[in-house]
Amino acid sequence: MPTVESVTGDDVKPTFKESTRQHRIMSEGVRNVIIIGSGPAGYTAGLYTARAMLEPLMFAGYMSGGQLMLTSDVENFPGYPEGITGPEMMMQLRQQAERFGLEVHDKNVARVDFSERPFKVYVEGNEHLTHSVIISTGAEAIWLDAENEAEQKGRGISTCATCDGAFFKDEEVLVIGGGDSAMEEATFLTRFASKVTLLHRRDTWKASKVMLERARNNEKIEIRPFRQVKSWLSDDNGLTGALLEDPRDGSTEEIAATGAFIAIGHKPITAFLEGQVETDDHGYIVNKDFSMTSVEGVFAAGDVVDTRYRQAITAAGMGCMAAIDCERWLEENVH
Ligand code: NDP
């Protein structure tokens, strides 16, 4: 019989954390935690849960990295004095988490079943069991839904200047919106386009002062307030412009452009949850107990819960919080 004092060979006693971890992993194919989504929130949750030795599994989505993959320069994430591109930052966050054992699959989660534990996560027809889940699926771009928009998607109308801007070298393009996204897209597009017209439905701005001023000071950008796109104009070759309406009096005018970038905000990616987790009227997850959702053992972090801040740094912070809450919950509830 090994004694408590034995410290060699098979008799080495695992620490409390190690023994609970081993127990959980051994319980027939049930993961400790599955992370759904891979922006700054997901990767930070992955880093923390990996360092907590929970052997996390992440479903990163077919387009891993989230919205930062569509962002050019990130200048407001502390620690990068020269700035960094969104895709580079996502690659580094992923590498950092993988170094500690985060297992990442670039696949989409089709649906989940949180009705009983262990939870079920369905991916490409396979069922994955897990004691806990961290949802960090973020948000996606909202389209304008002006007349003729559906036909012109991908034929001149885009929601991602970083992805499609280079197609419009020396051409005239439109950007729609009055927030930081619109300012960023407009400024970025001046690298390619001969002229960028920024259209906003009113003359007050959600954009931060610094980004608005940068756009204002760019001689390639013309800012036109009180202009809404009523319909998109096109010919056989694609977009030719837009019919604009002044919301103050309903008057209209045409504007010529071969490209248009819609930057009017985002909506949370929560449809795959099929209502199993409480959300608000706009689909954002409502956390109940710190980062825990209405389902015990399911946590949420980042833009999928954040209706206010929506920054890479706040998403990363929330990912950290969800990971810590998740680890504590597992220790207390999964024996
Ligand atoms: P915002 O919600 O800040 O702005 C959306 C803009 O689109 C508003 O000006 C809004 O107009 C306009 N809009 C909304 N719906 C319509 C519509 N149907 N027709 C016409 N215009 C419409 O979203 P953003 O995506 O710009 O920013 C979201 C968050 O991300 C913010 O916190 C922002 O600071 C952050 N961000 C930061 C960046 C950075 O720092 N590098 C870059 C990009 C985003 P109205 O004002 O009239 O409501």
Side-chain angles (χ1 to χ4, degrees):
M1 279 280 278
T3 64
V4 175
E5 287 77 29
S6 302
V7 289
T8 56
D10 292 338
D11 296 334
V12 176
K13 285 192 83 66
T15 63
F16 168 73
K17 211 176 216 175
E18 279 167 355
S19 70
T20 50
R21 178 179 71 89
Q22 282 163 0
H23 182 92
R24 287 186 217 123
I25 288 167
M26 275 186 275
S27 57
E28 264 315 291
V30 183
R31 304 294 296 223
N32 294 313
V33 55
I34 288 180
I35 299 167
I36 307 175
S38 57
Y43 285 136
T44 306
L47 174 65
Y48 271 75
T49 49
R51 285 174 57 81
M53 301 177 76
L54 293 171
E55 302 192 347
L57 169 64
M58 170 186 280
F59 291 108
Y62 297 125
M63 302 274 288
S64 67
Q67 288 180 71
L68 265 292
M69 297 301 279
L70 312 178
T71 303
S72 48
D73 300 320
V74 181
E75 296 175 330
N76 53 9
F77 200 99
Y80 296 97
E82 306 302 326
I84 184 169
T85 69
E88 257 180 297
M89 183 199 259
M90 287 308 98
M91 201 178 66
Q92 291 185 6
L93 287 188
R94 178 168 176 156
Q95 284 170 349
Q96 190 178 357
E98 283 178 332
R99 181 157 78 88
F100 291 98
L102 173 67
E103 183 182 336
V104 184
H105 294 193
D106 291 320
K107 292 178 177 173
N108 279 7
V109 169
R111 64 188 180 88
V112 293
D113 181 354
F114 294 159
S115 60
E116 56 179 12
R117 300 214 296 256
F119 303 126
K120 300 183 186 77
V121 174
Y122 295 93
V123 178
E124 294 182 353
N126 295 319
E127 181 184 87
H128 300 264
L129 301 178
T130 182
H131 292 299
S132 69
V133 172
I134 297 176
I135 301 166
S136 49
T137 39
E140 63 189 343
I142 300 173
W143 291 81
L144 207 49
D145 282 336
E147 286 165 36
N148 308 324
E149 192 163 297
E151 301 82 55
Q152 295 307 317
K153 278 184 189 174
R155 297 186 70 232
I157 306 179
S158 166
T159 55
C160 176
T162 324
C163 320
D164 300 324
F167 295 122
F168 298 94
K169 195 161 171 19
D170 299 326
E171 297 182 31
E172 298 196 0
V173 300
L174 310 174
V175 172
I176 293 90
D180 280 341
S181 294
M183 302 306 142
E184 184 175 70
E185 301 273 88
T187 305
F188 178 75
L189 284 163
T190 59
R191 294 185 194 183
F192 313 103
S194 54
K195 182 180 176 186
V196 178
T197 305
L198 182 81
L199 305 168
H200 180 34
R201 62 185 175 185
R202 45 194 192 118
D203 70 345
T204 48
W205 308 87
K206 284 197 177 136
S208 56
K209 286 197 174 61
V210 62
M211 293 185 74
L212 178 58
E213 281 314 303
R214 192 176 295 166
R216 277 191 173 135
N217 292 333
N218 190 317
E219 57 185 23
K220 277 190 171 179
I221 298 177
E222 182 186 354
I223 297 183
R224 301 196 56 190
F226 298 115
R227 291 292 181 277
Q228 261 184 316
V229 176
K230 198 169 155 53
S231 65
W232 298 106
L233 308 174
S234 62
D235 63 18
D236 290 346
N237 295 321
L239 194 74
T240 57
L243 179 67
L244 306 182
E245 185 176 64
D246 184 333
R248 292 170 298 183
D249 57 14
S251 60
T252 58
E253 64 169 309
E254 284 188 13
I255 187 168
T258 48
F261 291 85
I262 299 170
I264 60 168
H266 294 82
K267 59 175 185 240
I269 299 172
T270 46
F272 72 100
L273 296 169
E274 296 170 326
Q276 293 177 68
V277 169
E278 191 179 320
T279 57
D280 69 10
D281 292 344
H282 301 286
Y284 287 89
I285 293 174
V286 179
N287 280 345
K288 294 294 184 183
D289 183 14
F290 296 97
S291 63
M292 187 141 75
T293 68
S294 56
V295 179
E296 259 202 60
V298 177
F299 303 80
D303 284 11
V304 76
V305 280
D306 185 1
T307 55
R308 191 177 175 94
Y309 302 104
R310 299 169 177 150
Q311 305 297 304
I313 186 70
T314 50
M318 291 165 82
C320 160
M321 290 149 76
I324 290 172
D325 290 342
C326 178
E327 185 193 359
R328 288 186 185 159
W329 182 86
L330 284 168
E331 287 208 2
E332 284 163 16
N333 293 279
V334 180
H335 303 291

